[in-house]
Amino acid sequence: MALSLSPPARHQLTNGVTAFSLGVFCFIRRWYDLENLQPRGLDYFRSAPPGLTLMAATILSAILLAAVFWGAWYWVERSGSPGLRRLAHVSFLLLLAYSVESVRRYWNTQTDHFDSGSNISLWVVEAILVSGCVLLFFNSRRVLDPARRVAVLLLLLFPALMIDFVMNRLGAEQADVYQPKHPAPLLPDRGPNAPRFVWLVFDELDEPLAFERRPPGLDLPELDRLRGESVAASHAVETSTITAIALPSLICGRIFSSAQARDSNTLDLYPRGSRQKVDWSTQPTVFSRARQLGVNAALAGWHHPYCRILGDQLTECFALPSTHSTAALAEEAEASRTGVWRTVAWLFQWQFATLRRIVTGIRPGASDLSDAQIQRGQQQEYLQIRDHAYRDIADPRFGLVLVHFPTPHMFPIYNRREQNFHIEGSLDYFDNLALVDRTVGEVRRTLEQAGLWDRTSLLVTADHGLRPSNWIDRIGWTTELDRLTGDQPPLTVPFIVKLAGQSRAIAVDKSFSNVAASDLALQILDSKLTSAEQVAAWMNQLSSDEAGAQAVAANGGVAFER
């Protein structure tokens, strides 16, 4: 028996389908985000299997918005007012134009260059929709009717989209693969006089901005004090502008030019000048080499899942993979923390912010809300890493401790004027530099209180310097930063070595790659470098050829395997 609907029921069904298609279309940016979460390689930056909260919240938001549209149209039809009907039709076309514009802006934020063809095509679609609004005032539906049919036809893609998402989730890696490797057993104590090495990597710590171009009024007393009693190289060159490449390079003591995240536990690296990839977890590292010297190593770090990759080389490990790799990953993580209904509220807030930015140009826009979300998460990540790091460096059982801090990396997470973590107001990169300074001072006091300062050598460096292209038009970007950087990323990072017992400054002007840091650590742990003069001489004999590696590495990138 064929399904038969009365004309009124068929009319309401048509209205409902149209309303739902418009609701789904209004959240089209979110569907792009969900699609971008599909690659298996993104599991590398997750701490647990991908959740369904963000997808559920997006579907629920679309249904709620569709219910509002359906109810509004039902009221318009009941009113019988031609003016309200025309207003509803105009609103329908403008909402479609808004959705197309949000897609255009999204594409522009996801690419490194302005795609003229895509932008012009979408502008043409928007112009047609806006012209349809004008035609409605002349009682012409030449644009309205085709637009309505296209919106309904696009809804046919919704089931396929849901099947794709569900199948991807069903095929996702299980929770057990996100567990860290079993730690290496504790080696016997090497004695009270054995050298120790604490290696602090501050993400995006810039040598010129921290020292040579430091703005007036920014005091960094702890960094200046440390530099005044250390061997300090002013021309140490970063290994890569990308953290995912730079940290493996530093830890392995070998420059890599590109990387591909394959799954939760695999990062393929391409050595400089080679097309042959290597699995990071199989490569010799400063930790495996230190263990051959009888040294117990500990790590507390950000961005990489260190404990899943290198955990069996470490006696103690704490790692927080970063959601900075994509905005969608940060949204997924936040949704899992806050739940469906709070995520729904945030998605509507995001929609209104996008609409306000498109219509008025007034900030904050949707990207600012996303940035603020990442900013809050990054602050909590810093605090967790800091607490684990201070425990590790105060533990005499660990002869080598590496700490990778998520600062002064974008975004500002510290308030230098209030000297606290209140992140409201106008903050910038220099607030994060003040946090670096505070952290260095706290590390010193932690070692002093543990009675380990005089037997511990300390290295302060970075994975890369400030990257203006990442900061521009984001939270923390200022005209002062623009003036100081000239939109050109510097290549140099701090390389400050405070040898145990050292009290006077030695400046090194030689240019070299800071990939040498792991070799330095091993030389000190093996008692082959025992004085500041020896460290300075060691730096001066480093090859300047390595300093050019950054240009090669910067041309690479990080890919995510699907």
Side-chain angles (χ1 to χ4, degrees):
M1 180 177 176
L3 179 64
S4 178
L5 294 176
S6 65
R10 191 161 52 247
H11 178 73
Q12 292 303 322
L13 178 61
T14 302
N15 289 344
V17 170
T18 304
F20 185 63
S21 67
L22 185 58
V24 169
F25 206 62
C26 282
F27 284 95
I28 190 169
R29 159 69 191 274
R30 317 319 307 171
W31 302 114
Y32 271 108
D33 280 342
L34 290 168
E35 178 62 26
N36 285 339
L37 289 170
Q38 301 284 64
R40 177 64 62 87
L42 279 178
D43 289 349
Y44 183 82
F45 295 103
R46 290 184 170 104
S47 299
L52 295 173
T53 307
L54 182 60
M55 184 171 69
T58 304
I59 295 172
L60 186 56
S61 298
I63 292 173
L64 291 174
L65 191 58
V68 171
F69 292 152
W70 183 85
W73 180 244
Y74 179 79
W75 174 73
V76 168
E77 287 189 321
R78 290 289 299 272
S79 72
S81 168
L84 285 177
R85 182 178 290 268
R86 181 180 293 115
L87 177 61
H89 287 156
V90 168
S91 299
F92 174 78
L93 292 176
L94 290 178
L95 284 169
L96 290 179
Y98 154 78
S99 301
V100 173
E101 175 63 12
S102 68
V103 169
R104 187 190 69 81
R105 295 185 178 217
Y106 179 76
W107 285 355
N108 287 338
T109 61
Q110 298 300 304
T111 57
D112 297 328
H113 63 282
F114 184 84
D115 188 337
S116 301
S118 297
N119 279 272
I120 291 173
S121 298
L122 293 178
W123 275 327
V124 168
V125 173
E126 293 175 35
I128 292 172
L129 291 170
V130 172
S131 68
C133 297
V134 176
L135 290 174
L136 284 171
F137 287 95
F138 294 94
N139 297 317
S140 172
R141 299 168 60 99
R142 294 185 61 182
V143 174
L144 175 65
D145 290 338
R148 184 174 178 176
R149 286 192 290 269
V150 168
V152 172
L153 286 173
L154 287 175
L155 189 61
L156 296 177
L157 299 176
F158 186 73
L161 196 64
M162 290 298 98
I163 292 172
D164 182 42
F165 290 155
V166 170
M167 294 301 294
N168 182 267
R169 291 300 188 271
L170 292 176
E173 296 184 282
Q174 299 303 305
D176 58 333
V177 303
Y178 291 89
Q179 297 302 310
K181 290 183 176 180
H182 291 293
L186 195 66
L187 296 172
D189 187 6
R190 298 204 303 161
N193 297 320
R196 299 181 77 238
F197 192 85
V198 172
W199 181 357
L200 305 181
V201 178
F202 290 97
D203 206 297
E204 208 161 358
L205 179 58
D206 188 276
E207 165 73 19
L209 292 180
F211 297 106
E212 291 87 2
R213 300 183 203 164
R214 184 190 305 175
L218 175 63
D219 295 324
L220 303 175
E222 296 293 346
L223 277 172
D224 291 339
R225 180 186 179 188
L226 182 67
R227 210 179 190 211
E229 55 188 12
S230 302
V231 181
S234 56
H235 295 92
V237 179
E238 61 189 25
T239 59
S240 173
T241 58
I242 302 172
T243 302
I245 301 171
L247 262 299
S249 296
L250 292 175
I251 290 172
C252 292
R254 179 185 186 187
I255 292 177
F256 300 104
S257 58
S258 62
Q260 181 179 33
R262 270 204 285 140
D263 54 39
S264 60
N265 295 309
T266 309
L267 182 70
D268 287 335
L269 299 166
Y270 292 83
R272 183 182 59 166
S274 172
R275 295 183 180 180
Q276 186 66 38
K277 66 184 179 182
V278 296
D279 182 347
W280 186 20
S281 65
T282 66
Q283 298 303 295
T285 69
V286 65
F287 306 119
S288 61
R289 294 185 178 109
R291 194 163 181 81
Q292 294 172 0
L293 300 175
V295 177
N296 292 301
L299 181 150
W302 182 68
H303 193 76
H304 287 278
Y306 295 107
C307 307
R308 300 202 301 258
I309 306 298
L310 309 174
D312 55 353
Q313 303 175 22
L314 300 157
T315 308
E316 183 71 27
C317 183
F318 176 77
L320 291 175
S322 167
T323 58
H324 264 274
S325 51
T326 70
L329 197 58
E331 292 160 9
E332 178 190 74
E334 183 68 15
S336 297
R337 283 192 294 267
T338 59
V340 171
W341 287 108
R342 287 190 178 182
T343 304
V344 167
W346 185 86
L347 289 175
F348 275 100
Q349 183 184 7
W350 189 95
Q351 291 292 106
F352 288 125
T354 300
L355 181 61
R356 178 178 59 188
R357 186 70 188 273
I358 290 174
V359 174
T360 68
I362 296 175
R363 303 184 77 163
S367 60
D368 298 310
L369 295 180
S370 298
D371 288 351
Q373 189 179 74
I374 296 173
Q375 180 186 33
R376 292 189 297 271
Q378 185 177 327
Q379 185 186 73
Q380 293 304 310
E381 290 166 348
Y382 165 82
L383 294 172
Q384 292 181 64
I385 291 169
R386 180 200 65 181
D387 293 346
H388 280 83
Y390 291 177
R391 285 197 293 270
D392 290 343
I393 65 177
D395 192 331
R397 297 176 301 168
F398 303 137
L400 171 62
V401 180
L402 188 150
V403 187
H404 176 201
F405 287 107
T407 194
H409 188 284
M410 182 178 71
F411 299 96
I413 60 172
Y414 183 72
N415 190 319
R416 73 180 187 270
R417 294 168 183 83
E418 298 181 9
Q419 297 184 16
N420 60 27
F421 291 92
H422 182 241
I423 55 176
E424 299 297 328
S426 299
L427 308 179
D428 58 24
Y429 178 80
F430 299 112
D431 288 277
N432 277 358
L433 281 188
L435 178 57
V436 170
D437 187 74
R438 170 175 167 161
T439 305
V440 169
E442 290 174 350
V443 166
R444 177 192 289 267
R445 288 186 288 276
T446 299
L447 288 167
E448 288 174 343
Q449 291 167 8
L452 297 172
W453 175 253
D454 291 330
R455 57 168 285 206
T456 300
S457 296
L458 182 68
L459 168 63
V460 173
T461 188
D463 53 345
H464 53 75
L466 179 76
R467 299 168 296 184
S469 60
N470 286 9
W471 283 74
I472 289 174
D473 203 34
R474 310 286 291 277
I475 294 176
W477 182 252
T478 63
T479 54
E480 183 177 37
L481 267 177
D482 189 33
R483 176 180 60 82
L484 291 171
T485 61
D487 196 25
Q488 295 298 317
L491 303 181
T492 55
V493 294
F495 200 88
I496 305 171
V497 183
K498 166 68 169 65
L499 210 64
Q502 182 182 353
S503 59
R504 71 183 186 90
I506 299 179
V508 174
D509 292 328
K510 178 71 177 290
S511 176
F512 60 89
S513 170
N514 76 332
V515 76
S518 63
D519 186 45
L520 171 68
L522 294 169
Q523 296 272 356
I524 291 175
L525 289 171
D526 201 21
S527 299
K528 292 181 178 178
L529 295 176
T530 58
S531 70
E533 290 74 17
Q534 287 178 327
V535 171
W538 175 85
M539 289 184 188
N540 279 312
Q541 59 83 34
L542 290 172
S543 171
S544 297
D545 294 339
E546 291 293 335
Q550 187 276 339
V552 177
N555 290 329
V558 182
F560 303 111
E561 188 168 293
R562 295 196 69 87

